[in-house]
Amino acid sequence: VFCRRPHIPARFTIKAKECTAMLDEILDYNRRFVEEHHYKPYETSKYPDRKIAILTCMDTRLTHLLPAAMGLKNGEVKLIKNAGGIVFSPYDTTVRSLLIAILELGVEEILVIGHTDCGVCGMHPDSIRHHLVARGIAPETLEALDRHAAIDLDAWFTGFRDEQSAVLDTVSLLRRHPLMPKDVLIHGLVIDTATGELRVLDKGHPDQTAAKG
């Protein structure tokens, strides 16, 4: 199923005074949080109790829904988020984070979890370029990057065709990665952002890396 781009409302500008008010509100809450010892229920170590790392999207609907739908508590998993919940390239910071979680923090399984109605699905670089210019990035800067930068901006800002394929592509890349230990199980799932229902696309098994080159 191909994704459809939702209607994006007109952008608005948040005034500096409003931003400061937001930060002040957060800091005021934080002071009370610390003073009243509300952190106590969240005390844990840096090692994930379930030995699991989750790669998922930064979508705001998943902030509480995903842990709640999976029965997760603070300290049980390593949670890695980016736009789309995918691996963009074999040696990007997402893969680095996953490898560190495995090699330094005891992770034994990876769950790649995409979600329905993802904003990265169908994203087009022309739209991103338009927004950049509207936010004050000079067209000449973009042209210079197109000519001389090591990265292909159009590819960098292109979304995926559908959530399922994006998850499966990332699972495949991770399993075949030359630095991925062969005993790490890697699974692919999609979560429904409305109900929290999880659908398994690819369940890892001990011989999943047998075809790894």
Side-chain angles (χ1 to χ4, degrees):
V1 178
F2 297 132
C3 51
R4 284 181 265 175
R5 296 294 294 157
H7 170 69
I8 301 176
R11 294 294 191 271
F12 61 91
T13 301
I14 300 177
K15 297 179 181 178
K17 186 176 180 180
E18 293 173 344
C19 289
T20 302
M22 291 178 191
L23 178 58
D24 288 343
E25 182 179 339
I26 290 172
L27 293 175
D28 286 342
Y29 179 90
N30 179 254
R31 278 189 287 270
R32 295 194 303 274
F33 182 87
V34 175
E35 290 169 359
E36 298 169 12
H37 305 288
H38 292 306
Y39 56 83
K40 289 289 186 180
Y42 304 100
E43 291 179 334
T44 184
S45 77
K46 63 184 177 181
Y47 300 99
D49 296 337
R50 296 199 186 188
K51 302 183 185 301
I52 288 175
I54 295 175
L55 170 58
T56 192
C57 184
M58 64 184 187
D59 192 290
T60 52
R61 293 167 291 184
L62 301 181
T63 302
H64 291 294
L65 177 65
L66 188 142
M70 299 180 69
L72 300 177
K73 297 179 181 178
N74 197 53
E76 292 188 330
V77 302
K78 290 296 179 185
L79 190 57
I80 300 163
K81 293 188 174 188
N82 64 27
I86 60 174
V87 172
F88 181 76
S89 66
Y91 295 96
D92 64 13
T93 58
T94 299
V95 176
R96 177 177 178 272
S97 295
L98 288 170
L99 288 174
I100 289 172
I102 293 164
L103 303 174
E104 293 286 331
L105 300 170
V107 162
E108 298 176 355
E109 295 187 53
I110 296 173
L111 277 62
V112 179
I113 306 180
H115 68 92
T116 57
D117 190 33
C118 183
V120 178
C121 187
M123 188 173 71
H124 197 279
D126 287 347
S127 174
I128 300 297
R129 287 174 180 271
H130 173 78
H131 293 314
L132 286 170
V133 172
R135 295 298 296 270
I137 306 302
E140 294 78 12
T141 298
L142 297 177
E143 292 169 5
L145 288 172
D146 287 334
R147 290 195 304 269
H148 305 297
I151 190 168
D152 181 344
L153 285 181
D154 280 349
W156 204 40
F157 286 130
T158 295
F160 44 76
R161 188 176 64 170
D162 66 89
E163 292 90 353
Q164 178 172 312
S165 296
V167 169
L168 294 175
D169 287 346
T170 290
V171 167
S172 177
L173 186 153
L174 291 174
R175 286 179 181 167
R176 295 177 178 275
H177 198 285
L179 300 181
M180 182 63 63
K182 294 183 179 182
D183 58 348
V184 175
L185 295 179
I186 304 174
H187 317 285
L189 305 90
V190 170
I191 186 170
D192 189 310
T193 52
T195 67
E197 180 182 9
L198 286 167
R199 180 162 56 96
V200 178
L201 303 179
D202 190 336
K203 186 175 182 180
H205 48 84
D207 62 342
Q208 66 185 14
T209 55
K212 187 168 146 182

